[in-house]
């Protein structure tokens, strides 16, 4: 997330997401500052990054984040949604299952 911070910038003007993005930006800004300081002082490794994140999380003052409304999403089923879900579910089963599948005998219709 630190390397792709700009991905959040397009949501800063979104009416529902702007407060949440501001909180994410606040946390990422604090992490960036701490990581830059640590890098300048002693360099940083993957373990060092993890230590900085854990340190920031433990010391984070709860009043620095804005209280945001709970996001609610609603699923609206499309007509003939099985055209998406059946191949998708079979793809998951095929890729994640520990069962052997003979790929030469699989046909999707």
């Amino acid at each position: 997330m630190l390397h792709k911070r700009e991905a959040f910038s397009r949501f800063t003007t979104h009416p529902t997401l702007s407060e949440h993005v501001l909180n994410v930006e606040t946390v990422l800004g604090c992490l960036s500052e701490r990581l830059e300081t640590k890098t300048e002082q002693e360099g940083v490794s993957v373990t060092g990054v993890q230590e900085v994140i854990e340190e920031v999380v433990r010391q984070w003052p709860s009043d620095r984040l804005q209280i945001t409304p709970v996001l609610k999403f609603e699923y609206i089923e499309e007509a003939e949604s099985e055209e998406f879900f059946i191949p998708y579910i079979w793809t998951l089963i095929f890729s994640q299952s520990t069962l052997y599948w003979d790929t030469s005998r699989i046909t999707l219709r």
Side-chain angles (χ1 to χ4, degrees), residues 33-97:
E33 289 173 17
R34 295 276 181 95
L35 285 170
E36 285 175 18
T37 302
K38 185 168 179 119
T39 302
E40 289 171 2
Q41 293 173 352
E42 58 192 70
V44 68
S45 63
V46 172
T47 306
V49 171
Q50 186 175 5
E51 289 170 358
V52 169
I53 291 171
E54 289 173 0
E55 178 185 319
V56 168
V57 169
R58 283 193 204 108
Q59 298 173 357
W60 188 265
S62 60
D63 62 336
R64 287 194 56 192
L65 297 179
Q66 292 184 2
I67 296 174
T68 57
V70 176
L71 291 174
K72 294 182 181 180
F73 299 94
E74 184 176 318
Y75 170 72
I76 299 172
E77 188 167 340
E78 304 263 339
E80 300 178 16
S81 60
E82 65 274 1
E83 289 180 12
F84 167 78
F85 283 108
I86 291 174
Y88 175 71
I89 290 169
W90 275 109
T91 301
L92 289 176
I93 291 169
F94 176 77
S95 65
Q96 302 298 316
S97 174

